[in-house]
Amino acid sequence: MENTNWDPALSKLLNSLQENKNEIPSCTDEEFGFLSELLQSKELNALVNVHNKILNNVKDDKFFPVLSNSMDIDIEVLDLLSTKTHTSKDCKELFHLLQKPHMQGLLCTHDAVAQKDYYPRLPEIPLEVDEDEETVKIVQLVKSNEPLGATIKTCEVTGKIVIARIMHGGAADRSGLIHVGDEVCEVNGISVEGKTPNCVLKILQNSEGTITFKIVPADSKGGIRESKVRVRAHFSYKAAEDPYIPCKEAGLDFSKGDVLHIVSQDDAYWWQARREGDRNMRAGLIPSRALQERRIILERQQREKTDDDNIKNDDFDREEIPTYEEVAKLYPRPGLYRPVVLIGPPGVGRNELKRRLMATDPDKYKTPVPYRRDRVKLTAKSITLSAVKKWRRRSKRESLSSTASIRVICTVPVPRA
């Protein structure tokens, strides 16, 4: 009698097995009975139902991790709290709480799930293997809409197809089975010896379902270590329009002003990065600072038809090329208001700059509201470090603010030199 709680896929598989029993002569009655009992078991059906519910829940956006380095942030917070434990009981309590093994174990587990670091990994190759015997391993990856996360190239020494780079957070990286320098021998049973990387890519594009790689492991496996470098881009980039990118599918598009998390700078010309705050944990390729500077210089030379004098000023021009600006997260401290002082000669537009800055975010930037009507007057002789510090202390006492995110903006006139 059929159970209504059975998974439809298991029921269909069981019916197909019963209908084609006679067409499988190698299957004995004992083996057939074992498969039938397994497909009808409550344990297997319960596991399939749990698997289906997890897949349905993961499709909801609210289950995506906000970040994948909570343990690193915990260490940074502990460093900040270590100097505050003697001044505040709350800081002391939080300092001890974040050091508890259960809390740190929870954060490590969160990072492992966010980075999807729970896929099965093959055991390491035993050290007792004969040196003359070439070790080969079989790797199977399920093809999906997500890119493989690896690029290939032809080795200049041996002429073999090898793994050129592993994209951080991609399918190949999460599997832990493919490493930089591994030699690819076969793809789905097709030998790649003598083929170009483009031919191998066509084989991968025409493959469906599970992709089987026959690989000779590299001698050394350098793990990908995620860096903490973050930069702001001063130009826009589209991988599809770049004819020199190694793999257009692996490129990362970004716009001017985006903050990028640089994951790897191992390649001198192509960095691995992802947009800050992006839920997609897979990194993409972007041009490095050196490559982008070289491109801009070449474009200037072709556009302006540079002469000998301009060639001599390459070092000066390089300093003016906008590529990436390194930035860092600044965690606001409650009760601390940061003044922004605009210093410059009269007539350069300090007031206009202040007005535009306040218009971008009125809730974040405010001018000081003094109790008295007298204004701060500083002459050229009094523009010293001590005078600015004294004015900052005075402005902090005389300013009124309602939230911790308010910034104080003032203008200090300085005569022209």
Side-chain angles (χ1 to χ4, degrees):
M1 183 174 65
E2 289 192 10
N3 192 336
T4 57
N5 294 328
W6 278 3
D7 183 77
L10 293 179
S11 300
K12 185 176 180 180
L13 181 60
L14 179 61
N15 294 333
S16 177
L17 181 65
Q18 294 174 347
E19 294 175 358
N20 299 288
K21 177 182 178 181
N22 298 329
E23 299 179 6
I24 310 176
S26 59
C27 181
T28 62
D29 293 339
E30 183 180 358
E31 293 173 341
F32 179 80
F34 171 77
L35 287 176
S36 299
E37 292 178 2
L38 178 62
L39 295 175
Q40 299 178 61
S41 63
K42 296 181 179 180
E43 292 80 5
L44 180 59
N45 281 269
L47 288 175
V48 172
N49 289 331
V50 171
H51 175 266
N52 293 334
K53 289 183 179 179
I54 291 176
L55 290 181
N56 293 331
N57 290 333
V58 167
K59 295 179 181 178
D60 197 340
D61 291 342
K62 66 181 180 180
F63 287 97
F64 279 94
V66 178
L67 48 85
S68 60
N69 59 336
S70 58
M71 194 61 194
D72 295 336
I73 296 178
D74 177 62
I75 295 175
E76 294 178 3
V77 173
L78 288 175
D79 292 339
L80 296 175
L81 292 177
S82 61
T83 59
K84 305 291 183 181
T85 53
H86 61 284
T87 60
S88 172
K89 292 183 180 180
D90 295 336
C91 292
K92 185 177 181 180
E93 182 181 359
L94 181 59
F95 182 76
H96 291 296
L97 178 63
L98 293 177
Q99 292 185 90
K100 290 185 176 295
H102 295 85
M103 177 61 70
Q104 294 194 353
L106 177 62
L107 295 178
C108 290
T109 304
H110 170 273
D111 292 346
V113 174
Q115 298 175 9
K116 298 184 178 181
D117 190 19
Y118 44 78
Y119 286 89
R121 300 176 182 268
L122 289 180
E124 293 293 333
I125 300 174
L127 300 177
E128 294 77 11
V129 175
D130 188 359
E131 295 181 356
D132 298 332
E133 182 181 354
E134 190 176 48
T135 304
V136 178
K137 66 178 180 181
I138 306 298
V139 177
Q140 288 186 333
L141 298 177
V142 179
K143 186 177 181 180
S144 61
N145 295 330
E146 179 186 4
L148 180 60
T151 60
I152 57 177
K153 66 178 181 180
T154 302
C155 180
E156 297 178 356
V157 179
T158 62
K160 305 289 187 179
I161 298 294
V162 296
I163 303 297
R165 63 172 59 83
I166 300 294
M167 305 304 299
H168 191 280
D173 178 39
R174 295 197 306 267
S175 70
L177 306 175
I178 301 178
H179 303 87
V180 175
D182 288 353
E183 178 188 336
V184 181
C185 299
E186 295 180 1
V187 176
N188 284 346
I190 303 174
S191 176
V192 299
E193 185 176 359
K195 289 183 171 57
T196 63
N198 289 332
C199 294
V200 179
L201 290 177
K202 290 181 179 179
I203 297 175
L204 293 173
Q205 292 173 355
N206 296 329
S207 302
E208 297 181 358
T210 302
I211 302 177
T212 303
F213 295 91
K214 187 175 181 181
I215 291 176
V216 177
D219 295 335
S220 60
K221 303 183 184 64
I224 301 177
R225 191 174 180 85
E226 183 173 325
S227 68
K228 298 182 180 180
V229 179
R230 288 170 173 82
V231 298
R232 186 184 303 277
H234 289 281
F235 65 98
S236 299
Y237 177 75
K238 289 187 178 297
E241 300 175 359
D242 190 349
Y244 303 106
I245 188 171
C247 180
K248 294 184 183 297
E249 291 77 10
L252 176 67
D253 297 341
F254 58 86
S255 302
K256 182 179 179 180
D258 288 350
V259 177
L260 306 176
H261 180 187
I262 306 299
V263 175
S264 173
Q265 296 177 324
D266 295 339
D267 195 313
Y269 299 109
W270 297 100
W271 291 350
Q272 295 188 31
R274 59 172 175 259
R275 281 185 294 269
E276 184 69 15
D278 196 347
R279 290 175 175 175
N280 186 6
M281 304 305 296
R282 183 177 61 84
L285 292 179
I286 64 172
S288 66
R289 178 182 280 111
L291 176 60
Q292 186 62 21
E293 288 178 351
R294 184 177 301 181
R295 285 178 170 179
I296 296 177
I297 290 177
L298 183 61
E299 290 177 359
R300 289 181 179 178
Q301 291 177 348
Q302 293 177 348
R303 184 173 61 252
E304 300 174 2
K305 296 181 180 179
T306 56
D307 53 13
D308 295 340
D309 294 335
N310 290 334
I311 294 176
K312 293 178 181 179
N313 293 331
D314 272 353
D315 294 338
F316 177 76
D317 294 340
R318 187 182 298 274
E319 297 297 329
E320 299 179 350
I321 296 176
T323 55
Y324 303 106
E325 175 189 4
E326 188 169 348
V327 296
K329 282 187 176 180
L330 180 62
Y331 297 97
R333 299 180 182 178
L336 178 63
Y337 310 108
R338 299 183 178 274
V340 179
V341 183
L342 305 180
I343 301 178
V348 297
R350 285 177 289 107
N351 292 328
E352 178 65 19
L353 180 60
K354 179 185 71 174
R355 185 188 65 79
R356 292 185 181 185
L357 186 61
M358 294 174 57
T360 58
D361 195 342
D363 295 332
K364 186 175 183 181
Y365 299 102
K366 297 286 185 180
T367 55
V369 182
Y371 286 111
R372 301 185 301 275
R373 291 182 177 274
D374 56 336
R375 300 177 61 185
V376 179
K377 296 182 179 180
L378 297 178
T379 62
K381 296 181 180 180
S382 63
I383 298 297
T384 61
L385 181 61
S386 60
V388 173
K389 290 183 178 179
K390 183 178 179 181
W391 178 87
R392 289 178 61 185
R393 291 194 297 269
R394 181 180 176 184
S395 65
K396 190 180 298 184
R397 292 194 302 268
E398 295 180 355
S399 62
L400 298 177
S401 58
S402 59
T403 62
S405 62
I406 292 178
R407 301 293 187 269
V408 181
I409 301 179
C410 72
T411 57
V412 179
V414 178
R416 295 181 184 272

